[in-house]
Amino acid sequence: LLLPNNEKETSSSSVSVIKTVEMSSKKLESFTGAYWYEKDSYARHIVLENDTLRYVRGGNNRSNLVPVGENMFRMIGVDVELTVNFTGDLMEVTVDDEAPYIHKKYTPVDPTSDVLGEYVGSFYSPELETSYEFFLEEGELKWHHPRLGDQKIEFLKQDVLKGGWPIDVIKVQRG
């Protein structure tokens, strides 16, 4: 490569090398499961496919995790430095130098009509001074409002539902 005027070649891209550790399939399997982030009411799933842990955001949105310590992993193929550390039933996700996002392991419930039926009824919102009717239709939980019509309710986990605009996340308090 010829560089005129004694200019030096510089590289604008940096390549980071991640030092990985060996980990058995049995150990990798121990980290799999569903993890809930309470603050923003969302789930992440850790699955094992072809001896590789994958961080699943939903659908095909998934990233590989490589082991870098006994309980620590780095996500590869992303534009940030993202680490995932497992401690007991907690998963800490740290992006660059930010505070970690703490997710708690939970067991997802596949809602039957009986489970969804627990949410059927009339609910009043004092903030909005209006009522919503929750009902079952063809095995799906929905809500109805006279001005907004019918909307489907997504079951996220036990007592946490997603109702769409304007309801968004519904956290059920029993008792």
Side-chain angles (χ1 to χ4, degrees), residues 23-167:
M23 194 169 289
S24 70
S25 292
K26 184 177 180 179
K27 176 80 170 176
L28 291 171
E29 181 72 34
S30 72
F31 301 116
T32 63
Y35 294 84
W36 184 255
Y37 184 59
E38 185 65 35
K39 182 179 176 196
D40 291 335
S41 299
Y42 67 78
R44 295 294 185 252
H45 298 267
I46 304 298
V47 298
L48 182 61
E49 296 173 340
N50 302 322
D51 293 327
T52 301
L53 272 188
R54 302 190 199 287
Y55 181 97
V56 181
R57 295 168 196 83
N60 288 327
N61 189 349
R62 52 186 61 210
S63 298
N64 293 345
L65 298 174
V66 294
V68 295
E70 185 176 343
N71 299 311
M72 185 173 284
F73 296 80
R74 282 280 304 273
M75 186 178 289
I76 58 174
V78 293
D79 294 334
V80 295
E81 183 176 318
L82 193 145
T83 58
V84 178
N85 189 44
F86 296 93
T87 307
D89 66 348
L90 299 179
M91 176 178 74
E92 293 182 8
V93 177
T94 305
V95 179
D96 293 326
D97 294 325
E98 295 177 11
Y101 299 87
I102 310 296
H103 300 68
K104 185 169 176 49
K105 196 170 197 175
Y106 76 101
T107 303
V109 176
D110 191 12
T112 63
S113 290
D114 289 341
V115 170
L116 294 176
E118 295 176 14
Y119 302 99
V120 170
S122 181
F123 301 93
Y124 180 72
S125 169
E127 297 89 4
L128 302 175
E129 298 179 345
T130 193
S131 291
Y132 296 91
E133 290 293 324
F134 285 33
F135 63 97
L136 282 177
E137 182 178 85
E138 297 179 7
E140 290 187 328
L141 185 62
K142 296 184 176 185
W143 63 265
H144 173 80
H145 185 273
R147 288 188 306 253
L148 302 171
D150 297 347
Q151 299 287 331
K152 184 180 174 191
I153 297 173
E154 181 183 353
F155 188 91
L156 298 178
K157 71 176 213 141
Q158 186 68 39
D159 292 340
V160 182
L161 313 169
K162 187 173 178 102
W165 185 88
I167 294 180

